Amino acid sequence: MNTTTAMTDAASTLWQHWQAGTVLDNLPTTCRPQTRLEGYAAQAQLPAVSGRTVAGWKIAATSSVGQAHINVSGPIAGRLLSGQILAPGAVVPSHGNRMRVAEPEMAFTLARDLPPRDQPYTTAEVLGAVASLHTALEMPDSRFATFTQAGEAQLLADNACAHHFILGPAAPATWRDVDLSKHPVSAVVTQANGNTWRREGSGAAVLGDPRVALTWLVNELSGLGITLEAGQFVTTGTCMTPLEIEPGDSASADFGVLGQISMRFAA
């Protein structure tokens, strides 16, 4: 079996588990990616096998703690597909979601394409292609029964644990004057029983600065021969320890002058 066929089989197997809400220990040996590049190659087949389009991109494991937790060597990128994007305040399906976390994030929408090239993009170049900054919430998950042991290649095939995502409205244009690396973010979880608890974070949790994380994603895609397209967005990773949520809970995040965003996890 050639590599392209094997990676298509990997994507098809994972997509079938996503649709069924089931999990697997590992992909079959006949189609299990062994390297980072093979993991990305399997992920690249997901739009075709799912019949969905790429609305945007996510970055997972943007902190050393997150990388150690899922046993990866560094940040990893995933595609956010049409059908996964929900409106602010949405009731997010909880069935089959075993991670059960919400992640407050900063996301950027692109005004123009950033195509592959030999020279790495600078942060200034990337920000020059940005149309807007948004508040966001990601509710990730994995189809691996023990995702902390699946390994980098399989997690990449599993779309870097991309699942449901909420993109908030555009922040005021003055966001460009804000030091996102120091910008505080607070979140509140309201449990189904009415109890509440709070967590704090900042842009520093995202590779030190969400703008640096965005630049990393652009250059990661460039190295893979992929264009980050105008109109697509990039969500840059959680600004705090992910918020533990259970069915019936609600979560809201306050990004101050950048805006607020909320969700409810379906009971």
Side-chain angles (χ1 to χ4, degrees), residues 103-216:
E103 300 181 342
E105 308 196 0
M106 297 183 198
F108 299 87
T109 297
L110 271 289
R112 59 179 176 83
D113 290 358
L114 289 172
R117 70 182 198 187
D118 293 335
Q119 187 75 14
Y121 284 93
T122 66
T123 298
E125 287 177 308
V126 170
L127 289 175
V130 168
S132 51
L133 171 70
H134 302 251
T135 60
L137 286 169
E138 186 189 5
M139 285 61 64
D141 201 18
S142 174
R143 288 306 89 196
F144 291 106
T146 309
F147 61 87
T148 56
Q149 298 176 16
E152 186 171 76
Q154 289 197 111
L155 288 178
L156 280 166
D158 195 27
N159 215 6
C161 303
H163 193 23
H164 288 113
F165 179 76
I166 295 175
L167 184 68
T174 51
W175 70 265
R176 293 184 185 270
D177 301 322
V178 175
D179 184 351
L180 299 181
S181 71
K182 298 178 180 177
H183 190 70
V185 182
S186 61
V188 175
V189 171
T190 302
Q191 297 173 315
N193 62 12
N195 293 334
T196 63
W197 55 271
R198 187 179 188 90
R199 185 164 288 162
E200 305 292 332
S202 76
V206 187
L207 290 181
D209 188 325
R211 296 165 294 193
V212 170
L214 172 65
T215 306
W216 175 88

Side-chain angles (χ1 to χ4, degrees), residues 1-233:
M1 181 180 293
N2 66 43
T3 300
T4 300
T5 301
M7 295 306 99
T8 300
D9 288 349
S12 296
T13 299
L14 286 165
W15 186 249
Q16 289 165 13
H17 280 281
W18 275 108
Q19 294 300 95
T22 52
V23 296
L24 68 166
D25 291 328
N26 289 290
L27 285 163
T29 55
T30 53
C31 65
R32 188 183 306 164
Q34 299 297 316
T35 65
R36 190 177 176 96
L37 282 177
E38 287 184 354
Y40 274 128
Q43 184 190 123
Q45 300 302 317
L46 283 170
V49 302
S50 66
R52 298 187 178 186
T53 57
V54 180
W57 294 82
K58 63 160 287 183
I59 311 172
T62 51
S63 71
S64 57
V65 173
Q67 291 159 21
H69 178 59
I70 61 173
N71 293 301
V72 296
S73 62
I76 57 177
R79 291 161 166 83
L80 286 160
L81 303 175
S82 57
Q84 293 178 286
I85 317 303
L86 305 174
V91 177
V92 177
S94 60
H95 177 70
N97 187 315
R98 296 168 308 111
M99 282 190 178
R100 295 187 174 184
V101 295
E103 300 181 342
E105 308 196 0
M106 297 183 198
F108 299 87
T109 297
L110 271 289
R112 59 179 176 83
D113 290 358
L114 289 172
R117 70 182 198 187
D118 293 335
Q119 187 75 14
Y121 284 93
T122 66
T123 298
E125 287 177 308
V126 170
L127 289 175
V130 168
S132 51
L133 171 70
H134 302 251
T135 60
L137 286 169
E138 186 189 5
M139 285 61 64
D141 201 18
S142 174
R143 288 306 89 196
F144 291 106
T146 309
F147 61 87
T148 56
Q149 298 176 16
E152 186 171 76
Q154 289 197 111
L155 288 178
L156 280 166
D158 195 27
N159 215 6
C161 303
H163 193 23
H164 288 113
F165 179 76
I166 295 175
L167 184 68
T174 51
W175 70 265
R176 293 184 185 270
D177 301 322
V178 175
D179 184 351
L180 299 181
S181 71
K182 298 178 180 177
H183 190 70
V185 182
S186 61
V188 175
V189 171
T190 302
Q191 297 173 315
N193 62 12
N195 293 334
T196 63
W197 55 271
R198 187 179 188 90
R199 185 164 288 162
E200 305 292 332
S202 76
V206 187
L207 290 181
D209 188 325
R211 296 165 294 193
V212 170
L214 172 65
T215 306
W216 175 88
L217 185 283
V218 171
N219 286 318
E220 182 82 344
L221 297 189
S222 178
L224 295 167
I226 298 171
T227 296
L228 183 59
E229 299 176 6
Q232 291 182 338
F233 61 83

